[in-house]
Amino acid sequence: LTALLAGSTMVAAQAQLLNYTPSTASNVAGTYTDLSTVATSAIIPTTNTDDDNSAAQPIGFTFSFNGTAFTQFVLNTNGLIRLGSAGPSSAAAFPPFAQAAESGPISGTNAADINLIAPFNLDLGPGTGGGTEYRVATTGTAPNRICIIQWTNVADKPQAAAAGVATVITTQLANFSFQVKLYETTNNVEFVYGTATAGTGTSNIKY
């Protein structure tokens, strides 16, 4: 599955709507191509696979988002990137309990949690497929290059009962890989998802 968000050079302050809106988004059938098959891809080092930010990584070109030009991003292991040289406010960058009041980097108010792009923002850890890693590749030639950032073999972690919700949330996806693509010139953002392996826990449609 591929989700494409069409963008342009935007001028917007924090807490205002971006130019990536439902009317400019589309879901289409696509093909997930693992970056390990791309010779120019590189592993993004992290200290661990649970709640960690990478060092700043080069996009490979200038990408415009929210009225600002960026040449770097920081990967967070919990399914998001922050554009620029700094990471989000916390390495534990995820909603702490999805069925309760939403918080975390996307809906939070911390000034550091801006310029975030989140293809799958949950509390993620290693999946059952083994070989959990993160990769990046910039492909193509100017002015039509694509920066592809990939989370490989991850799973959502079980969530204990909290915030007035008694139900323990079991792992929903035992193994999952996905990407975000940043497009030069058009400033489009594309999310690409591989085939997921379902978890063995009880399905929870609110999660």
Side-chain angles (χ1 to χ4, degrees):
L1 176 65
T2 299
L4 178 65
L5 306 178
S8 60
T9 301
M10 299 163 288
V11 178
Q14 186 180 4
Q16 290 182 325
L17 292 176
L18 300 180
N19 206 28
Y20 297 87
T21 64
S23 63
T24 60
S26 60
N27 290 325
V28 298
T31 301
Y32 177 88
T33 302
D34 195 298
L35 283 186
S36 65
T37 67
V38 177
T40 57
S41 73
I43 291 176
I44 300 174
T46 58
T47 303
N48 57 69
T49 55
D50 184 14
D51 300 343
D52 200 14
N53 290 319
S54 73
Q57 306 292 312
I59 295 173
F61 52 84
T62 299
F63 181 78
S64 294
F65 183 86
N66 199 20
T68 303
F70 296 96
T71 58
Q72 294 177 300
F73 70 90
V74 172
L75 175 139
N76 182 271
T77 58
N78 294 304
L80 61 77
I81 63 170
R82 181 182 177 188
L83 296 171
S85 60
S89 61
S90 170
F94 58 86
F97 202 85
Q99 292 137 305
E102 288 290 343
S103 57
I106 301 300
S107 57
T109 59
N110 192 299
D113 291 331
I114 59 172
N115 302 315
L116 304 177
I117 299 177
F120 201 79
N121 182 219
L122 281 177
D123 187 8
L124 300 178
T128 57
T132 299
E133 66 176 18
Y134 317 98
R135 283 184 176 266
V136 62
T138 299
T139 64
T141 57
N144 299 305
R145 290 168 288 190
I146 306 170
C147 179
I148 309 168
I149 303 147
Q150 177 176 295
W151 292 254
T152 308
N153 296 332
V154 299
D156 58 303
K157 294 169 60 180
Q159 302 294 306
V165 180
T167 305
V168 175
I169 306 303
T170 54
T171 296
Q172 303 293 290
L173 299 172
N175 202 71
F176 193 35
S177 299
F178 55 91
Q179 301 168 339
V180 59
K181 296 183 178 181
L182 308 179
Y183 284 77
E184 186 180 23
T185 305
T186 64
N187 303 308
N188 286 355
V189 177
E190 188 175 35
F191 299 157
V192 184
Y193 302 95
T195 301
T197 301
T200 58
T202 302
S203 177
N204 191 299
I205 61 173
K206 296 181 180 179
Y207 191 39

